[in-house]
Amino acid sequence: MNNIVSSKWLLARMYEPDIVIVDCRFLMGKPDAGRELYEASHIPGAVYLDLEKDLSAPVEEHGGRHPLPDNFELTVTLSRVGIGNESRVVAYDDQGGAMASRLWWLLKYLGHEQVFVMDEGFTAWFNAGFPVSSEQKVLIPAKFLATVQHAMLVEMDEVKELLGDERVTLIDSREAPRYRGEVEPLDKAAGHIPGAINRFWKDGLTEAGIWKDTAAQAERFADLDRDRDLIVYCGSGVTATPNVIALQEAGFSKVRLYAGSWSDWISYEGNPVAVGGEEKA
């Protein structure tokens, strides 16, 4: 099933009663900017979910910069904004789909299949002349019951155990200079998990910021063995999620997220760190 929908697809369905549109705009380092943008202008009927307040748990010693929210608390949040088990959820942002993909992954993790990311984002919607509004929707709570898909997630201990295992491929979703350890603007140590390959998440988009089609996504990952288990990570588990989508679009089925990602990995003293280019098997 396609995980990405066009703005025209949403425009044609935005008032259907089972559609819930979620604005996920969020600017790293400016925690209030996303909500302020939403309050100024958004797709009519959209509700707002905040990356750090709603889609992450508070930061602790371990778990990374954006720890996964508590499952029960997340179901309460989803129910509060009107997302029920029968809802078709369409998430959007203005950050290339990274924040919307986080919500997509969380809903899939809770067993909700009918969730999509809107291609291109809010600015493209606005520039197309599609309707926008500053009115906030009256929230009518829905009933959301989770069926947690534990197989979608991997924790640090398992990643550590699997280092060097030829049946597993680790995929680092950050920009190449961060992967190589040349720069690190956000975390206290630079480098990558030993053995990981680098596939920058934004390479899943065209230069115009449109999601690449299935064939192009498959080409990005053509060198990967489809029988291997794939573990995807980034800095804090957010920008890895577009790569999870891209891998699914490309036909890979054995894809898991290391949600704590690099910021969690380096929080454990003694975990090995690699720098430089990709290591060859």
Side-chain angles (χ1 to χ4, degrees), residues 41-68:
S41 183
H42 52 259
I43 296 176
V47 298
Y48 183 75
L49 288 178
D50 184 282
L51 172 67
E52 294 185 343
K53 294 185 177 75
D54 300 312
L55 306 181
S56 304
V59 175
E60 298 181 353
E61 182 184 0
H62 301 299
R65 284 183 280 108
H66 293 108
L68 290 184

Side-chain angles (χ1 to χ4, degrees), residues 238-256:
V238 177
T239 58
T241 56
N243 261 349
V244 173
I245 293 179
L247 284 159
Q248 288 197 9
E249 296 281 306
F252 290 85
S253 57
K254 300 165 75 173
V255 183
R256 292 192 287 168

Side-chain angles (χ1 to χ4, degrees), residues 31-256:
D32 297 322
R35 175 166 284 282
E36 289 167 0
L37 289 167
Y38 166 78
E39 290 175 352
S41 183
H42 52 259
I43 296 176
V47 298
Y48 183 75
L49 288 178
D50 184 282
L51 172 67
E52 294 185 343
K53 294 185 177 75
D54 300 312
L55 306 181
S56 304
V59 175
E60 298 181 353
E61 182 184 0
H62 301 299
R65 284 183 280 108
H66 293 108
L68 290 184
D70 174 79
N71 290 337
F72 176 74
E73 289 183 10
L74 181 57
T75 62
V76 170
T77 296
L78 297 171
S79 300
R80 174 178 56 81
V81 299
I83 296 174
N85 292 96
E86 304 306 314
S87 300
R88 283 183 294 164
V89 181
V90 182
Y92 72 88
D93 58 35
D94 235 353
Q95 284 73 41
M99 311 304 161
S101 296
R102 167 76 162 208
L103 177 60
W104 172 91
W105 189 90
L106 286 170
L107 280 164
K108 291 281 188 178
Y109 179 61
L110 296 184
H112 191 79
E113 284 298 318
Q114 294 288 315
V115 55
F116 310 92
V117 173
M118 187 185 82
D119 205 354
E120 298 184 84
F122 180 76
T123 296
W125 173 281
F126 179 82
N127 290 341
F130 295 164
V132 297
S133 174
S134 60
E135 291 184 19
Q136 294 192 34
K137 182 179 181 179
V138 176
L139 299 179
I140 302 173
K143 189 172 186 178
F144 187 93
L145 297 175
T147 308
V148 179
Q149 307 297 303
H150 296 286
M152 290 176 58
L153 181 66
V154 60
E155 305 284 357
M156 188 284 295
D157 289 342
E158 187 177 358
V159 175
K160 195 170 183 178
E161 285 176 16
L162 292 171
L163 289 184
D165 191 321
E166 292 186 357
R167 297 166 298 176
V168 178
T169 299
L170 271 170
I171 299 175
D172 187 311
S173 305
R174 299 171 299 164
E175 286 184 89
R178 289 183 70 194
Y179 165 82
R180 293 192 296 261
E182 296 164 2
V183 297
E184 184 44 67
L186 297 170
D187 293 310
K188 63 184 180 181
H192 59 267
I193 300 174
I197 63 172
N198 185 215
R199 293 291 187 277
F200 183 34
W201 72 273
K202 277 194 175 177
D203 290 340
L205 307 176
T206 68
E207 288 186 8
I210 300 168
W211 281 77
K212 291 179 178 177
D213 62 21
T214 300
Q217 299 290 9
E219 190 176 324
R220 286 179 66 209
F221 304 112
D223 59 328
L224 300 186
D225 186 340
R226 291 178 179 271
D227 292 328
R228 283 195 182 194
D229 289 316
L230 305 179
I231 296 174
V232 187
Y233 76 92
C234 57
S236 68
V238 177
T239 58
T241 56
N243 261 349
V244 173
I245 293 179
L247 284 159
Q248 288 197 9
E249 296 281 306
F252 290 85
S253 57
K254 300 165 75 173
V255 183
R256 292 192 287 168

